[in-house]
Structures are given as structure tokens and as C-alpha cells.
Amino acid sequence: MDQAVRSAAKAATADCDRSTWDAGNCPVRDVMNRISGKWATLLLEALAAKPHRFGELRRLVPDISQRMLTQTLRDLQRDGYIEREVFPTKPPSVEYRMAPLGRSLFGPLSKVLEWAAENHDAVRAARRSFDDAGLA
Amino acid sequence: MDQAVRSAAKAATADCDRSTWDAGNCPVRDVMNRISGKWATLLLEALAAKPHRFGELRRLVPDISQRMLTQTLRDLQRDGYIEREVFPTKPPSVEYRMAPLGRSLFGPLSKVLEWAAENHDAVRAARRSFDDAGLA
DNA sequence: CGATGTTAGTCTCAAAAATAGACCAGCACT
DNA sequence: AGTGCTGGTCTATTTTTGAGACTAACATCG
């Protein structure tokens, strides 16, 4: 287990040498900086289940502002994770759906999401014990 | 409690239950909001390879500010992902290392990092074609 | 007919967060 | 005595996020 993690770590960092870590040059940063926003994973999770319209997404994630929803969707579309289609209905509606690249990303990403759900209690316990230990 | 975690875990893979999508209540958000910062994954990646001292981490990630390095490390420590040990040497040095919880998280997380490295070109291509298509 | 609601946004301005850079204390070397 | 190293903290400035008003065409309700 430790072995697997170690080799994975090595693989992930293989073409990202520390001494030459350049912000514009590092794939990990370039990709992570987009999906690591506050809202991106939430929207990918919603769209992984099924396509949704703008208003549906807004209702699904109640505390996102329209501004951030628009912007995050556009960023995800720009990087090829999702697709946007406009239907010329009476009040024009827009549907967002997962693109192949997004679905491919969501494979590994969903594993992290599962980990989060499974280990939430452990994290909260660690947090509590850290806070109780005085150095809050 | 156990029930909450189980239903949340189910939600992570399938459709996330709306009623659990309250900011304070959703495990996915609670965990993701911490590891999805701009620096957290970078530091976890560095510490997954081997323990590092404060100054080493700063040199490893040249464009992080001291303030954000301090704060991100403290957040990571608070949530139980990393451990901090002070050595009372002449100029006191501090070593940061992966905690068991962090190593456990890094298993799935490293898969995403690998994905990022492998698909960086596809993302950049999508980005370029989006920008060229006018609506930059 | 006119008031209101729905669609997917954009625009503006205030609040929150990230950053740069100065500063601190203790010790070692010159 | 001056310089540099350690791991930070404090403050001021810039960047990001958020709350809320506004658009514009059509649909529904009274």
C-alpha cells in the first residue's frame, strides 16, 4: 500500500522537477488550478450525473452566485471538460453536459470525492483535536 | 452519524443529494475546500515524496509567499494530513511530514495528478480552440 | 391592457482573500 | 560589529469573490 502510494507519487512528479517548477510550465498546476476552485468539482459532480440547465445548476448549488456559476462554467468549457448548447426556445435555454475530456477526468476525480465522503469523520476528528490542543 | 456518512458516500458517486448540500454539512465540500486550494496539492505532492523543512518547501515552490506557506501547512496539519515537528537545533528547524491520513488521501489524489500530467496537452488544445473560436 | 415571472446572463461596487515585502528573535561565522 | 540563516508574523496592496440590480423577449395572470 505504501509502495503503491510511493510509486504513484513518483510517477506524478516525474515530469515536474522541483528545481525547475515554473508556474506556466507545470501540468499539475495548470490543470489543478482550474478544477481546484471552490465550485468546479461541485459542478462536475452534478454534470457527471446528467446534463443540466443553468437554472437547474443554480438551484442544485444554492449558495453559488450567478456570476461565479457563469464564470466557472465558462472556464470548464474553455478547458474542454464540459459542452454548452443553446436551445432557441421561447425563453432561450442553455444545457451544459460533460464532454469526453471531463468524463475522463471524472474517473480519478470521483475517487477523491469518495475518499472525502468516507474520511470526513477522520478529518473532523483531527481538526477538533488540533483545535483542542490549544494552537487554534 | 454512520448513516450520514454512508448516504453522503453514495451521493459522491451517484447524484449528490440536494438536502446534504449545505455548506457545513457536505463532506465533499468540507474536504475538497481544503485540498483544492492553490497550494495544498503541491505541498502534499512534495511531502509525499519525503519530509521537508519549511525553507525547503519554500524553495521547492518558489512562487508561494511565506504567509501562504505557513497558513497552508497549518491548515493541512489541522485537518490531520501532515505532521509538524520542531527540532531544537541552533537555528531551530521544523520538519513537515505526511501523516497517515494524508498518505491515505494521496492514493486517490495522485491519480488525479497523473491524469493532469497525461492530459495537459488535451486541455491546452481545448483552451486554444475555445479562444480561437472568438468568444475569448 | 398592464403587471409580473421566466430565461441566461452582464454590470457595478463592496467584501473577502491572496500577495509582496518589511520586520522579528536567536544563533553562527567572519 | 556586520551578515546571514532559521521559521515565522504584521501591514499594505492587489486580486478574487460575492450581493444585488439590470437586460430583453416572451408567457402567464388578472
Side-chain angles (χ1 to χ4, degrees), chain A residues 83-100:
Chain A
E83 286 160 3
R84 176 181 188 269
E85 188 177 358
V86 181
F87 295 100
T89 48
K90 331 34 188 304
S93 67
V94 179
E95 190 182 84
Y96 293 90
R97 74 173 65 83
M98 216 69 167

Side-chain angles (χ1 to χ4, degrees), chain A residues 42-53:
Chain A
L42 256 5
L43 295 178
L44 287 178
E45 197 180 2
L47 293 176
K50 70 181 183 68
H52 285 287
R53 294 179 41 193

Side-chain angles (χ1 to χ4, degrees), chain B residues 17-118:
Chain B
D17 186 0
R18 281 73 174 163
S19 54
T20 66
W21 264 23
D22 285 323
N25 193 325
C26 176
V28 173
R29 290 169 78 141
D30 194 23
V31 174
M32 290 306 288
N33 278 348
R34 181 116 307 141
I35 60 179
S36 80
K38 186 175 180 182
W39 309 109
T41 49
L42 257 6
L43 296 177
L44 287 178
E45 196 180 3
L47 293 176
K50 69 180 182 71
H52 285 288
R53 295 178 41 191
F54 187 88
E56 285 181 312
L57 290 170
R58 192 150 65 99
R59 280 186 291 276
L60 234 45
V61 187
D63 55 343
I64 192 174
S65 64
Q66 274 190 327
R67 193 182 183 296
M68 286 317 290
L69 180 53
T70 300
Q71 191 179 97
T72 307
L73 287 170
R74 209 179 297 287
D75 285 347
L76 254 23
Q77 183 196 359
R78 188 168 101 100
D79 280 16
Y81 297 129
I82 66 177
E83 287 159 3
R84 178 181 188 269
E85 187 176 0
V86 182
F87 294 101
T89 49
K90 316 83 199 237
S93 67
V94 180
E95 192 183 83
Y96 293 90
R97 74 173 63 86
M98 216 69 167
L101 194 63
R103 217 164 267 292
S104 154
L105 164 66
F106 197 70
L109 184 58
S110 68
K111 294 294 193 301
V112 176
L113 267 26
E114 282 172 44
W115 188 96
E118 283 163 19

Side-chain angles (χ1 to χ4, degrees), chain A residues 21-37:
Chain A
W21 249 3
D22 224 357
N25 192 323
C26 174
V28 172
R29 290 169 77 142
D30 195 22
V31 173
M32 288 306 288
N33 277 349
R34 183 117 304 142
I35 60 179
S36 80

